[in-house]
Amino acid sequence: MNPVATILQPNETNLRDMRKSLRLGQLVAIPTETVYGLAANALDEDACAKIFGAKERPSEDPLICHVPDFEALQRYCETNETAAQLAAAFWPGPLTFVLPKKPIIPDIVTAGLDSVAVRSPSHPVFRQLIEGCDFPLAAPSANPFSYISPTLALHVQANLGDRIETILDGGPCELGVESTIVDLRNPASPQILRYGALPAESIENALKCRIARPDTEHTPVAIAPGTLPKHYSPRTPLDLRTSPILEDELQISDRNTAYLLLRKPPHSLSNHIHWLSEQGELDAIAARLFAKLRELDTGGYQKIVAEEAPELGLGLAINERLRRAAFRT
Ligand code: TXA
Ligand code: MG
């Protein structure tokens, strides 16, 4: 049997060992407030190549660089007033900027683009780790390419445990969906490339203007490079409903089909009926979505039927994940 990655607790000794492994060009899985990431020293080309290998990720899909703060960001990309304003409002947190890259960032990180994606996560364990690193961390979500993103150390161990040595435990990810990505190359017209854990409306309120958004309602293909329609996908086929699933359908439903509802139903409480929140709270739905999809995917069901969230706030990120999970070629 292949060796299984060790899950390490975030104490000083383990953090020191992990920084050393990263400095030596090894991969380490790390917690963030959104999802777990698979990290390497972003300035080390060979180390970053290992990320693509472990995830079986195509080389045209660029990586996000993680930094401790806005001051560090300025070492790796050209910045502007809009970035400074958004960082002051939302960093550390689930917001990624795309900005013109400086030559110090290797091409492998950006898939040859002349821009780089950068964010500063708020997870306390992540911050403890990075504050002792003198390099940024390139880290995609720590899932095999196109599978469901991990929100627990155990998820990483289950999928990548035979390909990496260590996973830093930071508990369950609080937010549960990836960061929002905003293209700030033209500071006068910011553009959302991927809906994520920071609602688009929050960015608009901070900038006091409307910003361009991807049309994920009509096409599952986001405009961020490297993104494919099928992603975040369980192996079990997933049907997505645009209108709420009614009690009548649940009453007569087939037990080989898992129902994934946004909120707890009033009556139908049998084992194949699952829900993501008590009352439809979007933050609870986002936080549980990926873990629940994994649970249903390994639950022996023939099919999963899920409901779309309202098309606003965090609902936009939740629906983008659900639509791509449901996409079939
Ligand atoms: O919350 C998150 O963002 C997580 C955690 C680990 O930080 N990371 C994450 O990384 O979601 P990943 O690799 O799963 O998604 C990164 C996406 C790429 O697929 C690409 O679409 C976009 O970020 N991206 C990266 N660099 C870019 C660039 N230079 N221009 C446009 N989009 C870029
Ligand atoms: Mg990902």
Side-chain angles (χ1 to χ4, degrees):
M1 203 180 112
N2 288 320
V4 172
T6 316
I7 298 179
L8 294 176
Q9 293 312 303
N11 56 44
E12 264 318 314
T13 314
N14 289 339
L15 288 167
R16 203 181 47 231
D17 289 350
M18 287 191 164
R19 288 187 204 107
K20 192 170 156 199
S21 301
L22 287 162
R23 208 166 284 122
L24 291 172
Q26 285 159 18
L27 303 183
V28 170
I30 53 157
T32 82
E33 71 280 20
T34 59
V35 300
Y36 275 75
L38 181 60
N41 174 354
L43 305 181
D44 179 339
E45 230 171 290
D46 296 337
C48 292
K50 290 182 192 165
I51 294 179
F52 289 90
K55 277 186 60 106
E56 295 178 34
R57 177 179 175 115
S59 58
E60 61 267 25
D61 192 354
L63 307 175
I64 296 178
C65 289
H66 298 70
V67 294
D69 49 35
F70 194 70
E71 196 191 323
L73 165 141
Q74 297 174 49
R75 291 201 279 277
Y76 310 116
C77 52
E78 307 296 337
T79 182
N80 57 50
E81 200 36 54
T82 310
Q85 200 183 337
L86 289 177
F90 301 113
W91 274 22
L95 179 61
T96 297
F97 304 144
V98 169
L99 286 164
K101 93 176 184 77
K102 288 191 172 168
I104 188 172
I105 297 292
D107 285 342
I108 189 167
V109 171
T110 62
L113 299 172
D114 53 15
S115 59
V116 62
V118 188
R119 90 170 183 104
S120 181
S122 63
H123 194 295
V125 172
F126 169 86
R127 300 201 65 76
Q128 255 182 298
L129 178 75
I130 197 141
E131 270 152 22
C133 292
D134 50 8
F135 45 82
L137 293 175
S141 49
N143 49 303
F145 186 67
S146 93
Y147 194 59
I148 305 163
S149 301
T151 53
L152 279 180
L154 279 174
H155 296 160
V156 183
Q157 195 181 44
N159 293 144
L160 297 178
D162 60 347
R163 303 178 194 185
I164 58 173
E165 280 171 25
T166 46
I167 303 164
L168 179 57
D169 196 0
C173 300
E174 190 190 340
L175 303 176
V177 291
E178 293 84 349
S179 61
T180 303
I181 303 180
V182 58
D183 184 351
L184 298 178
R185 284 173 304 165
N186 178 352
S189 59
Q191 201 175 0
I192 291 189
L193 301 182
R194 177 178 75 182
Y195 288 123
L198 183 71
E201 295 87 335
S202 305
I203 303 175
E204 292 180 335
N205 289 340
L207 295 178
K208 298 189 176 54
C209 67
R210 284 279 298 168
I211 55 178
R213 300 172 176 210
D215 178 14
T216 46
E217 200 168 355
H218 298 103
T219 161
V221 188
I223 51 177
T227 51
L228 300 174
K230 181 175 150 58
H231 205 100
Y232 313 109
S233 303
R235 296 182 183 99
T236 315
L238 186 143
D239 281 355
L240 190 57
R241 298 285 181 79
T242 49
S243 48
I245 298 167
L246 302 177
E247 194 69 33
D248 289 355
E249 176 176 349
L250 296 177
Q251 298 286 352
I252 54 159
S253 59
D254 172 4
R255 304 182 72 86
N256 292 316
T257 296
Y259 279 82
L260 183 56
L261 310 175
L262 296 175
R263 65 176 72 201
K264 186 175 176 182
H267 305 297
S268 303
L269 298 176
S270 106
N271 285 343
H272 67 299
I273 303 198
H274 303 259
W275 54 90
L276 290 163
S277 73
E278 291 294 315
Q279 311 273 358
E281 311 87 302
L282 291 175
D283 52 351
I285 294 170
R288 293 190 195 138
L289 178 66
F290 286 144
K292 200 71 187 170
L293 282 175
R294 279 173 179 264
E295 178 195 323
L296 301 186
D297 201 24
T298 50
Y301 294 106
Q302 285 165 5
K303 191 166 82 170
I304 302 168
V305 176
E307 285 176 322
E308 275 187 8
E311 203 58 27
L312 82 176
L314 262 181
L316 293 164
I318 293 164
N319 287 343
E320 194 257 355
R321 298 336 180 247
L322 281 169
R323 286 179 192 132
R324 292 171 70 190
F327 189 84
R328 285 182 216 147
T329 40

